[in-house]
Amino acid sequence: MNPDTDSTAAGIDLGAMRRAIAASRQALADGNMPFGASLVAPSGALLWVAQNDQVTSGDCTGHAELVLVREVTRVLGAPALRGATVYASGEPCAMCSGAMFWAGVARIVFAASQADIIRTLGGATLPITCAQVLQGASPALRVDGPVLQDEAVEVLEGFARPRAA
């Protein structure tokens, strides 16, 4: 275990997750569901940040992770996704998990867990975790989380408050 490499990796994880959470705040401000995602290359370079656009696009598949995959593919090309890490402010659903697998993403890191999302937002759910969707995938995808869970849940609560009032 190399402390210099480990601290750099942790710093990349925290920085990229904070960008995803910031995108979730922006999605909420724009009237969308409060979810964001960022993409980091294997080199550690931040490549892209995207946010949920379900409401503003009228597309029920406008989850932050799918928006990210589509935008990156269109602008940077599909190879930019291969071997990269996606940071998601909320644990990816089954649809997004599958899309990231097919895009060649190597690692997924999430902040708020599926249980946090269900508890905070309620509504329709697919009760299967990202890790369960990807269990047995070949090639394997690494799933880590929660990371910065409280920060992400705070944004979800900001969405839930006006509905509860």
Side-chain angles (χ1 to χ4, degrees):
M1 186 176 224
N2 181 336
D4 292 332
T5 304
D6 292 341
S7 64
T8 301
I12 291 169
D13 283 354
L14 294 176
M17 186 58 76
R18 285 195 171 102
R19 295 292 297 266
I21 293 169
S24 74
R25 282 190 196 93
Q26 186 59 53
L28 180 58
D30 291 345
N32 288 299
M33 298 295 291
F35 297 99
S38 62
L39 180 72
V40 172
S43 68
L46 178 69
L47 297 178
W48 206 263
V49 179
Q51 66 187 48
N52 180 292
D53 70 2
Q54 286 178 271
V55 175
T56 55
S57 71
D59 179 357
C60 66
T61 67
H63 294 198
E65 302 91 339
L66 276 183
V67 171
L68 182 138
V69 167
R70 289 176 183 142
E71 289 177 351
V72 168
T73 300
R74 186 176 65 250
V75 177
L76 302 178
L81 292 155
R82 295 188 197 111
T85 299
V86 171
Y87 295 83
S89 66
E91 185 172 0
C93 71
M95 172 182 69
C96 293
S97 299
M100 289 184 283
F101 169 79
W102 293 115
V105 168
R107 180 175 175 233
I108 298 167
V109 183
F110 65 87
S113 69
Q114 185 182 93
D116 295 326
I117 296 165
I118 292 168
R119 184 179 60 255
T120 308
L121 302 182
T125 62
L126 287 171
I128 185 168
T129 66
C130 179
Q132 288 170 328
V133 170
L134 297 169
Q135 184 178 9
S138 180
L141 248 91
R142 180 174 157 189
V143 178
D144 294 318
V147 172
L148 299 177
Q149 182 176 23
D150 293 341
E151 291 180 34
V153 169
E154 184 179 315
V155 179
L156 296 175
E157 289 170 345
F159 177 82
R161 268 191 293 276
R163 295 185 333 163

